[in-house]
Amino acid sequence: MKWLIGIYLGCFLGLLKMAYSDPKFYLEYIDRKFSYVCYTCLIGFSAFWCGIYVARGYVIDNIDLISEQLTLIDKEYNYLTSYLLTIIIGAGISFAASILFIDIARKKIATSATA
């Protein structure tokens, strides 16, 4: 998991460098793709998490299961949702960062236009 976080942060630094060094290219091409992917992941994984939550609630409330099955359902649910939560938080941070990078690129363009 640590190496994934390292790759994630490395990608942020690369995008930040691109937004600062080539703001026109960043705003015209990369930002559109980056924002779309982040927003789609945020909405898609959040909907998937809500669906799993509703399905788990239905199974626990309406189906008569033995205690071992309930324990197994809770164990697998917690295992899956911990990864989903990580992806959702990462997508949210990425979307927020894309807004920050847009601001950086626009300020860089404004600074270079006045100079």
Side-chain angles (χ1 to χ4, degrees):
M1 187 70 149
K2 290 181 182 180
W3 62 274
L4 283 175
I5 294 172
I7 292 171
Y8 184 74
L9 293 176
C11 289
F12 270 123
L13 291 176
L15 287 172
L16 179 61
K17 182 183 181 307
M18 183 166 293
Y20 190 76
S21 64
D22 191 3
K24 281 189 175 183
F25 176 69
Y26 180 81
L27 286 175
E28 291 172 3
Y29 182 72
I30 300 229
D31 178 59
R32 290 182 187 177
K33 303 291 183 192
F34 182 59
S35 296
Y36 176 76
V37 168
C38 293
Y39 186 71
T40 303
C41 285
L42 184 64
I43 297 299
F45 285 114
S46 296
F48 186 59
W49 190 17
C50 290
I52 290 173
Y53 178 76
V54 169
R56 177 184 167 265
Y58 177 80
V59 166
I60 288 175
D61 293 340
N62 296 330
I63 299 175
D64 190 27
L65 300 172
I66 60 175
S67 63
E68 290 88 17
Q69 289 173 325
L70 289 173
T71 305
L72 219 103
I73 287 173
D74 279 339
K75 178 183 168 191
E76 294 300 322
Y77 173 78
N78 291 332
Y79 177 76
L80 179 64
T81 55
S82 66
Y83 284 107
L84 281 176
L85 183 61
T86 304
I87 292 171
I88 290 168
I89 289 171
I93 291 171
S94 299
F95 189 68
S98 74
I99 295 170
L100 175 69
F101 294 163
I102 289 170
D103 188 47
I104 290 171
R106 286 186 180 155
K107 284 182 181 179
K108 177 71 176 177
I109 289 173
T111 303
S112 63
T114 59

